[in-house]
Each structure stands twice: as C-alpha cells, then as structure tokens.
Amino acid sequence: MPAVSKGDGMRGLAVFISDIRNCKSKEAEIKRINKELANIRSKFKGDKALDGYSKKKYVCKLLFIFLLGHDIDFGHMEAVNLLSSNKYTEKQIGYLFISVLVNSNSELIRLINNAIKNDLSSRNPTFMCLALHCIANVGSREMAEAFAGEIPRILVAGDTMDSVKQSAALCLLRLYKASPDLVLMGEWTSRVVHLLNDQHMGVVTAAISLITCLSSKNPDEFKTCVSLAVSRLSRIVSSASTDLQDYTYYFVPAPWLSCKLLRLLQCYPPPEDGAVKGRLVECLETILNKAQEPPKSKKVQHSNAKNAILFEAISLIIHYDSEPNLLVRACNQLGQFLQHRETNLRYLALESMCTLASSEFSHEAVKTHIETVINALKTERDVSVRQRAADLLYAMCDRSNAKQIVAEMLSYLETADYSIREEMVLKVAILAEKYAVDYSWYVDTILNLIRIAGDYVSEEVWYRVIQIVINRDDVQGYAAKTVFEALQAPACHENMVKVGGYILGEFGNLIAGDPRSSPLVQFNLLHSKFHLCSVPTRALLLSAYIKFINLFPETKATIQEVLRSDSQIRNSDVELQQRAVEYLKLSSIASTDVLATVLEEMPPFPERESSILAKLKKKKGPGAVSVELEDGKERGELNGGGDRGGDAAIAASNASTPSPSADLLGLRSTAPVSGTTPSAGSLLVDVFSEAGPSATSAGVNDDGFLSSAPPTVASEDPAPPLPESDELLNKFVCKNNGVLFENQLLQIGIKSEYRQNLGRMYLFYGNKTSVQFVSFNTTVSCPGELQSHILQCICTHTHTLLNVQTKTVEPLVEGGAQVQQVINIECLTDFIDAPLLNIKFRYGGALQNISLKLPVTINKFFQPTEMAAADFFQRWKQLSQPQQEAQKIFKASHGMDTEVLKAKLLGLGTALLENVDPNPENYVCAGVIQTKAQQVGCLLRLEPNAQAQMYRLTLRSSKDTVSQRVCDLLAEQF
Amino acid sequence: MQFMLLFSRQGKLRLQKWYVPLSDKERKKISRDLVQTILARKPKMCSFLEWRDLKIVYKRYASLYFCCAVEDQDNELITLEIIHRYVELLDKYFGSVCELDIIFNFEKAYFILDEFLLGGEAQETSKKNVLKAIEQADLLQECTFPV
C-alpha cells in the first residue's frame, strides 16, 4: 500500500488492486477479474439500491479492469448516474469513467450531455471545469453539436473564473479539431485574440493553443494576433528570471508560453509593420544571445527549457527565411550543438539543420559542417541519431559535394541498420540521379547500390536506372559495358540480373564489337544466372533473349534451342511457358523486318516524375519530402521532382525558360543518338530511281502547296519561339521520341512516327504542379512566309474540354495530369522552317505563353534506300550540277565514336551503305524524301578526320533546297 | 500531443491518455508496439524517435517510462519538460511518488493530468496552480452540494 492515500480512499478498490498484483499468473488474474465482474454485475442488478459510495467504488473497479486491458460492457449507466450526484467525488469518478470509456451509444450520450449541461450552468467553477474536461476528453461530434455554441461564450465572458477560461479554451480547441464545421468563432474572434493580453499567464498559455490552431486554418481572420504575440514575447524574453514567479521554470521565464508564441508566429509571414518586426528581431537576437550565456543552473531542465525556446526561435527564423544574419547565426549555434555531449541536442541540431540546408542564405553555412555530419553517421551509437545525420547529408547535398556524400552514404549502407536501409537506398538513388553530371557515375552508383544492398533496392530504383539509360543515348554503351562486368561476379543479386538482362537486351549491340563481350558471350553470361532467378526475372530474361535474336542474328540458333528445351516450353509456370512458345514462334516465322519492328528498341519514357521520388514521398508521408522540395534551394533541380506549385511566383517567372539545372532525361543532352533502325527499305526498293534527276522535271507544283491553318482562337498573340527552340529542334533531327520541352510547370513529351510523306505526332503535355492549369490551349501554325505551303497539320485534342474552336468550356489540366494531343502531318513539298507550337494556359492566374518549334524536319520523310556501290557512284555522278550539291566542313562538337555516328546516320532516316566508300573511315548513305508533290533522292557522304577532329559532309540531291537543308540539319548533329 | 503513456520496465501500462479518437483495438496495438520499441532502446540513447508519422518523446523515471507522441511541428524539448513537470506534480502530490502510488491511486494520476494538460495542450504550467486545484477538489471530497 502506498504511504499516502489522499482523499477518501476506497478500501475495497485498494484490496482488489492488491489481489490483482498478487496474482501469480495471467490465468489467476483473469479468474480474479471475472469473479469481481460477477460480483459487480450482481450488485448493479440487485434489488437493493446502491448508495453513492458503493456505486463509485464499483465504477472505479470497472475502470481499473478496463485499464488493465479487459473489455467492459456494462456499468455505463451507473457511471452516468454518478454524474448527477451532488457529491463531488462521485461526480468526478463518473466523469473519469465516461472520459475513458466513451461509448457512442446515443441514448447514453444524451444523458451525459444533459448532466454536462447542468454542470456548465451551475456557475460552480469546479463543476464547470469537470464538465469541460469531460467534453475535451471525449471530443465527439455529438458533444460539439451540443456545446460548440456555448463554450465560446464561457471563454470570453467577463465574469468567468480564470481556471474555467483555461479549460474552455482547450475544450474548444478539441472540438474544433474534431468538428471544425461546428465551431464558429465569428463574433468572438477579436475577444479570443485579446486573451493573449490576459493578465493571467495560465489563461494565455491555454488560449494560445486555441489561437494557433485557429490562425493556421484562418490566418486572415486572426492576423491581429501577430502584434499581440510579439509584444507578449518581448515582455517575457526581456523579463528577469524571477519576474514571472511560478511561471518561471528552472530560471527560464515561461518556456511553454514562449515556445507557443514563437509557434503562433510561424503561421504568418514576417510582420509588415516595421516597429513590430524590429521588436521581434530583437527578441530573436536576445534568444540567440542567451544561448551563449553561461547556464544559470546545471540541471538539465534548465538547459532543455532554454534550448526548447532556442529551437523554436530557429524554426521561426527558418520559416521567415529572410534574415540572412539570423539564419547564419542559427546555423552556427546548431553547429555547436552538433558536437554537444547531450545526445538529444545532437539529434535536434541535425534535424533542425535539415531545414536550414534548404534556405539559400544558410545552405553554404550548413555545408561547412559536412565532416561533422559524416562523422555522426559513422560513430553515433543511436540509430535515430544516425538517421538524422543521413537526412541532413541528403538535405545538404548539392553538385559540389554530391560525390562525397553519395560515397559516404554508400559505405554507410554496408553496415546500416536494417530499419533504414530501404530509405537510404532511395536517397542515394535520388541524389545520384539529381546531381549526375556524368552518367557513367550515375550508372556506377546504382549498380553499387544493387551490389551492396540489393535486397533493399526496390523496383522503383531499378526501373529508374533503366528509364534513364533508355532516355540517355550517351550512357547506353557505358551501361552495357558496366552491367556486363557486374554480371561476371559469381554471385550477383537478382536485381543486378534484371538490370543486366534489360540493358543487354536493348544495348548489348553497343559492346558486341569486343570479342570478350561478343553476342554469344553475353547470352551465355545471362543464361548462367537464369536458373537461380525467380519467375519474374526469368520472364524478363526470356524477353532479353528474343531481343538478342533481333540484335544478333548469329545467336538465333542457340537461343531457339534454349527456348525449345522442355524446361522452357513445358515450364509449369504459365507466363514462362507462354513467353517461350511465343518467342520461339516469333523468331522462326517472322521476317527480319517484322522481327525488327516488333523488337525495336524501347522508345524513351515520356513520363518524368521520378518513380523513386514518389516512393520516398510515400514512405515519408507527403509532408516530409515536399518541405525539402518546396524550400529547395535550387528549385526544380530534382529531375522529375514533381515541383508542386508551392512557389507560384518563382515558378511563373521561370515558366518560359527551361530549368537550367541538370536534366537527366534529355533536354540538355549532348548529341542525341538514336538506335532505331528504320528497316522499311525493302518496301521502296525502286523508288530511288524514279526520284532520280529525271524526277526533278516534275517541278514544283505551286498549286499543290496545301495549308490548313490550325484551329486557333487566342486572345493573346502567341509568344515568339523560345531562343533555344532551334536547339530543341536539332535534338530531334535524328530521333523521334523524347522530351521536347520542360520547365517548372510543364513537360512536353513527343512520340512520332513517319511513313512515306505522312506523319503522326503524339504530344504529351504533363502538368508537373499540383495545381490545375486553366484555359489550356495549344495551336500549331506554319511560320510566316510558309503559311501557304508545306505542312498540313490536323490537330485533334483527345481532351474533350480543350475544344479550341468553340472555346465555350474552359479547358483544364489537373495537377499531375497529362493530356495527349495528336497531330497528323502531311508533307506536301520540301520545306525548311519547322511549324510552330504555341501553348497558352493560366497557372495561378499568370498567363503562360510558350512557343516552340515542332520537331518536324524534312529528313523525317526519308525512306532509306539500299544500293550497291556501283549504283551509288552512278547516281552520285548524275547529281553533279553545282546547285545539287551542298557541302560543309565543320569541327566535331562531340566524340567521334563510330557506333554513335552510325546510330545518328540511321536516325536521320537514310540507309547506311556498307562497303561503298573505298575509305572505310567514311560513311555513305542514301534515301528518298517523300513529299506529296515529288520524291527527292538524296545521297550523303560523311568524311571524319579523327586527327583534326573535323568532318566534311557532302549532300547531293535532285533538289538544291533539299541538299542544303539536310546538310544544315545534319551538320548540327556531330 | 496525440497521446501519453506511462508504463513500467516490465511493459505494464500504468496510465494512458488519448487526445485523438482511436478505436480500442488501435490503442492497444499502438501501446504494444511502442512499449516494445522503447524498452528495446539502450539507456544512453536519445529521448526522441520517429515512429510512424509521429515524434515520440520519452524519459525514464525510476521504474516508469513516460512517453508522449507529438506531431511533426511540435517541440521535442518542451515536451520532455512537460513530462518532467508532470512527474514533479505527481511527486509533490504523493510525496516522493513511486510506481505503486500511481497503481493504487490511478484516478488521482488522471485528475492531476487533466488539470495540467487538456486536449493534449498545456492548460496550466504553474505547479502551484495545478496543485491548488487538486487540493481544492480533495477538500470537496465529502461535501454535499445542494442540487
């Protein structure tokens, strides 16, 4: 028994509790409880009316049993009876029972509410507080309905006791949180705000929680609280430690209230009134100064209370993000804490620095602590502290330190706690992508990740590396080489096999020249892993095999044999069996052309939201990551980082220029290389001869120039094309798919296909923000003097709201959504200028007006033409008039790698002719440009000079404009 | 604050206060998970941890663990001192409080908590004022009021 048993002491209860404590086993305890429940039940049901004391005692026992974790299904009525007892102690136990065992039995709620109503109107402050506590503890909707109107009245009434006001404020807060629609402050607003001025510190302390919550939901209505809060804070901060008597806690004046005041101010921007702002800055400086003073007490409570205020002040400084001086001081202060002997302070300093890292004023200052943070990651004994250190490294990472940080995180991963590995993996993957300057580093990092923590590499991570490799032409060869090497390891993670299978299936040809990684070697390497893999990986490998058959015809027999084996074609797994059967059949009956079409290289991925980032967001909850992004120093830097419209002003001002940041998926890519191999040559075997010089006599048919002005009704004139639109256009000369344009708000992806003189282009407009675009409208037009010819564009919006012709409905693109537009193109005759694409929409009220060149160039209408050397030279000679030839000599702006050059020439749309030019270093190509008016035969010769890093490019065609244009276009590609 | 739990080193729950609506089942699951998590931590470790989407602040006093769950924007250090102030209140009321006091007088522990925190927020931080309210209530124990 405890030494002290204040109050009335219920002996029966104490005996029961002792009995329970003496139970030797769980069974004994349950037995004892059941006995007691039976006893109580019989007492409640008995004929004899129980007196108040017994009722209270039994209700209390039931409560105890419930708190032990047992179910209680009776006694509620007795508890409700106690509420209307005229003995305080019985009433109190009744309320406690109701508060703990709330039951939404409506009959009961009505009774409870009745009792509460009586107590609230009793004008006895002790009873009123009990009733208010009960409402605050239960907080149900029924109670809000009954009392939300009454409580504000109690809160602001002049004659209400302080203690009742305190309870009323927090009671109202609880009701507001549960049922905001029922709590209407309206007329009370100003009087509630003025509670900040109340003489009684306890009233201010309670009221400020309510005001903070209301302010965060309706900042405008409560904005008068800012100046009141600042002056209250100023008085506390400047008071001596004894001024506030019992509200001073271990020599710190009113720490709870100070923290809450600082928290309230974080609902608002910095005060506009200069005097108020000055006073606040003074307070913040004082708080920072005090941190440097010697402690007034050695007790941890003193330093905790003091530092609680300091951290809250730093949060406010970060929230304002406008006082460089304070930000840097805050950062220095946290820097001291990073090495503090108190684990708690180190933890909080790491946490708080994370947000400081995203302010442009303090980002650099945070970075100076990198060594300390890395050290914390390595040496802290508490996993939650190490977790914070990892978070901070992630937040302080930028281009300058990415390699160091990623390396440290990778090495930490080898020993990291299992609980945080997955998140670490995601973060490493994101940083590697975000700050990749050279993509071989990116590929290395991700493969290392798979090696070190393969089990924690989620699908999103390896999907992402594949997306990037597919969309980045310049890394494909390296990726193929690296995965090939990684797969050499005797035991490699299944995720490595997946990545390896996929990449070799797509780009194995890029390393097939080396006999050490010849097609068969590649295949055997992959197949050696096959039997150790799960079904989904095997399925992926089978697809890689069929791609091999297309890439390397010499592997066909071997692979067909594998597919034909019983273990494949009779595999008990339906998916594997089906793949084996289908692939085997496909490889045996399809012609090379069909095979090449079916198994063509994967088109670039249009979607740019990083799947990893989405995963991290999901893991951390939307709040955590979005803060980092919105406050991100280098906005929009995250590739596909789904910039939300958090900062509309900045986003809008940047809207017409693509983000200058790293762009993994293409915008600023170096020379685009397309591996697509148009193999429709055979369809057109004889076309070339028809299009020979004689065809020129067909002449230019002026009447044939068709044009159809695209449907366009726009209030504002389309903006002139972006300065970089030519560059963007050049990107697409040798490829058909990819990201055409991207800024903070919008991403435009393109997929296109051409056949003869017809083309179809799919434009994908992706809204990268979380806010809808209104009045979204796109138009395609042919530029100025070409108005009357060339291209016929028929725009079809799939988005029904986007009816540009009638414009009766406002077209909307929801946040995060993508709309597709199809453009059909017909080439009527040869042309130079590309059509213009204008996009207009409103984002957060601001009109966005972007014009781009649609990547339709004359070479898109090439049909490749295969021919023997003799034919080639004969035709070459036929095109010998000076105006039929165009020539350029230019310096190489990219590497002169053979495979890359070949890929580009094929991407141009011509056939690459082997064994034609006597000099094997040179390339010759042939193709026919298909227009409605005529066909223009075209021959090409490219002479690289590796020593001088120069090229000579010669074009001959039956039409001077075509020769010149193709020559100009192609010269930009090397 | 979303909830406060008091539990012993053996993992027995001594007091639970919930400031957000949760079903009985959820409460039991949360308590079980959290008690396990915290008991597994070593003494010198930091008093804060991330748990689901909440911040947990806890501290051990003798045989009892005091544990609060607060939201993301809440201040950890001041929560730690909320715990300490509550311990001080119990200590002052019972006179050198020990686990047994809280077991046998659990209803008092709840009453004191209600005077100090309401709806998960500090109602009255002055030790004197909280104790005054409790003592006044104790004086009323057996008085009968006219209805």
Side-chain angles (χ1 to χ4, degrees), chain B residues 132-144:
Chain B
K132 205 164 68 192
I134 295 290
E135 270 152 20
Q136 265 174 359
D138 279 343
L139 286 176
L140 294 175
Q141 288 292 349
E142 292 308 315
C143 304
T144 306

Side-chain angles (χ1 to χ4, degrees), chain A residues 167 246-247 249-250 260, chain B residues 47 81 88 121 123-124 126:
Chain A
S167 299
D246 211 35
Y247 290 91
Y249 179 82
Y250 291 87
K260 295 212 165 206
Chain B
S47 310
E81 294 318 298
E88 286 184 346
E121 300 286 343
Q123 174 175 218
E124 177 56 86
S126 150

Side-chain angles (χ1 to χ4, degrees), chain A residues 2 4 69 86 89 137 166-167 209 246-247 249-250 260 263 301 304 308 312 344 351 382 388, chain B residues 17 28 41 46-47 50 73 75-76 81 84 88 94 101 121 123-124 126-129 141 145:
Chain A
V4 178
N86 52 7
T89 163
N137 282 326
Q166 287 166 273
S167 299
S209 294
D246 211 35
Y247 290 91
Y249 179 82
Y250 291 87
K260 295 212 165 206
R263 174 91 200 90
Q301 284 74 29
N304 279 350
E312 206 60 64
N344 287 347
E351 181 183 65
D382 184 344
R388 287 283 83 82
Chain B
K17 190 78 189 179
K28 279 187 179 155
R41 288 172 63 86
C46 117
S47 310
E50 270 184 355
Q73 72 275 18
N75 188 313
E76 292 97 336
E81 294 318 298
H84 187 75
E88 286 184 346
F94 290 106
D101 293 324
E121 300 286 343
Q123 174 175 218
E124 177 56 86
S126 150
K127 194 156 62 172
K128 223 159 47 187
N129 290 352
Q141 288 292 349
F145 294 87

Side-chain angles (χ1 to χ4, degrees), chain A residues 698-705 828-829 933-934:
Chain A
V700 180
N701 181 356
D702 282 323
D703 300 341
F705 296 152
L828 302 172
T829 183
Q934 61 183 157

